[in-house]
Amino acid sequence: RDSNGVLLIEDGHHRFAAMKAIGLTEVWVVIRPYSASDAAIVRELTSQLARRRSGAERTSLLLRAVIDLVSTGRLEGVLHNSDAALSRRAALGGAFDVNENLAGKLLTIAEAGLTELVDRFVSAPLTTTRLECLYQFAQTSRDAQSAALETLGEAVLYTLPDDVQVLRRGLASAADRTAQVRQWGQPIIERLEREHAGAAGRIAAKMAADVQKVSARLPGPARRLFRQHLVDKLTSEDNTAPGTSSADPAAVDQETGAARITQAATIQTSTR
């Protein structure tokens, strides 16, 4: 409120103006006694959220912000409101203009302390599937979370919500939780290996087709040098940085010759 006791709009000025323009005289609002610092937090975060291109980017930013608020003890200041019946997730949703369901999941994840898992998952935009996985992991024990990371490593990013639900059901009756997690993780690793092998095969087939198209446009000498050069590049274990010369002068001459022949062949083909 201002010095005259009139309520001030902290966030939602555009929505207020739109409602007023269409003739609404009454709207639902959340009345919240902000401190100056709480208001600054909300204002800065909502401004950053508005600049994100995708929903997944906004969710990632919002989760990091909520975790920071929890870890620094500032969350309650942002959530505090005059309506005692308003739930914490509804208060968070109102503060940052997100739906209550999403706000509830963010709160659960932030308060579960999934530090290592969150670091892995928010390294990229947080899709709906990844958020749901984190939410499911938040409802497991710390030792189960650590065992899942140890078992799957980076592959944990490719788990599905159903995978984690299966883990939770298995842990409910498991005598040895670590062994249960390892047993749970093995089929996931095997599934991912099959999926990645299939993807690698498709990419290799596409590359081979592209190479065949390029090779078919070259005359005989250039075609042979092109293929040999390609094989050398694919099988070489030389870690020479791109743009540096090889220590073998003959290799340099061969590479330069191949490049010149290829260039000449390309010019010749394009002028026919």
Side-chain angles (χ1 to χ4, degrees):
R1 297 176 185 269
D2 63 13
S3 57
N4 297 318
V6 177
L7 290 170
L8 299 175
I9 298 174
E10 178 59 39
D11 187 48
H13 298 81
H14 293 96
R15 282 169 288 173
F16 175 76
M19 292 174 183
K20 189 174 180 180
I22 63 175
L24 293 180
T25 58
E26 294 183 357
V27 295
W28 286 98
V29 298
V30 175
I31 300 176
R32 181 178 294 111
Y34 281 130
S35 67
S37 60
D38 296 335
I41 291 171
V42 174
R43 186 165 52 249
E44 174 61 22
L45 182 55
T46 51
S47 174
Q48 291 186 39
L49 290 171
R51 293 195 295 270
R52 292 305 186 271
R53 294 183 180 180
S54 70
E57 290 177 325
R58 290 193 291 271
T59 302
S60 182
L61 173 64
L62 188 54
L63 177 58
R64 288 195 295 267
V66 175
I67 290 172
D68 181 62
L69 291 172
V70 170
S71 63
T72 57
R74 294 179 294 163
L75 180 65
E76 296 309 319
V78 172
L79 298 185
H80 184 66
N81 58 83
S82 59
D83 185 353
L86 193 64
S87 68
R88 297 173 77 245
R89 65 180 187 175
L92 180 66
F96 297 126
D97 194 25
V98 297
N99 68 69
E100 189 174 331
N101 181 53
L102 173 59
K105 290 179 178 180
L106 295 174
L107 274 175
T108 300
I109 295 168
E111 293 178 335
L114 305 179
T115 307
E116 291 183 75
L117 278 169
V118 168
D119 286 344
R120 300 285 180 94
F121 275 84
V122 300
S123 59
L126 195 57
T127 63
T128 301
T129 298
R130 288 188 171 185
L131 175 68
E132 186 62 31
C133 281
L134 274 178
Y135 177 65
Q136 295 293 335
F137 272 121
Q139 298 171 75
T140 63
S141 62
R142 294 289 180 89
D143 59 337
Q145 296 161 17
S146 298
L149 271 175
E150 182 181 347
T151 301
L152 297 178
E154 290 299 324
V156 74
L157 294 175
Y158 303 100
T159 53
L160 302 173
D162 287 348
D163 294 331
V164 191
Q165 287 182 2
V166 169
L167 173 62
R168 290 177 57 196
R169 288 195 294 268
L171 290 173
S173 57
D176 186 339
R177 293 184 170 225
T178 301
Q180 178 67 30
V181 174
R182 288 174 181 165
Q183 182 181 354
W184 161 82
Q186 191 56 41
I188 295 175
I189 293 173
E190 293 172 358
R191 182 190 74 205
L192 291 174
E193 286 176 347
R194 289 193 301 270
E195 291 175 355
H196 291 170
R202 289 190 295 272
I203 292 171
K206 176 64 168 60
M207 290 178 64
D210 291 341
V211 168
Q212 289 292 342
K213 290 178 182 178
V214 173
S215 180
R217 296 180 60 187
L218 301 174
R223 186 180 304 131
R224 287 191 294 274
L225 283 171
F226 171 73
R227 290 179 176 176
Q228 183 59 51
H229 185 63
L230 184 64
V231 170
D232 290 344
K233 286 294 184 182
L234 291 175
T235 59
S236 173
E237 295 181 359
D238 181 14
N239 293 320
T240 304
T244 60
S245 299
S246 169
D248 183 0
V252 174
D253 290 342
Q254 182 180 10
E255 182 172 343
T256 303
R260 287 175 177 171
I261 293 172
T262 303
Q263 182 181 20
T266 304
I267 294 172
Q268 182 180 11
T269 302
S270 63
T271 56
R272 286 179 179 175

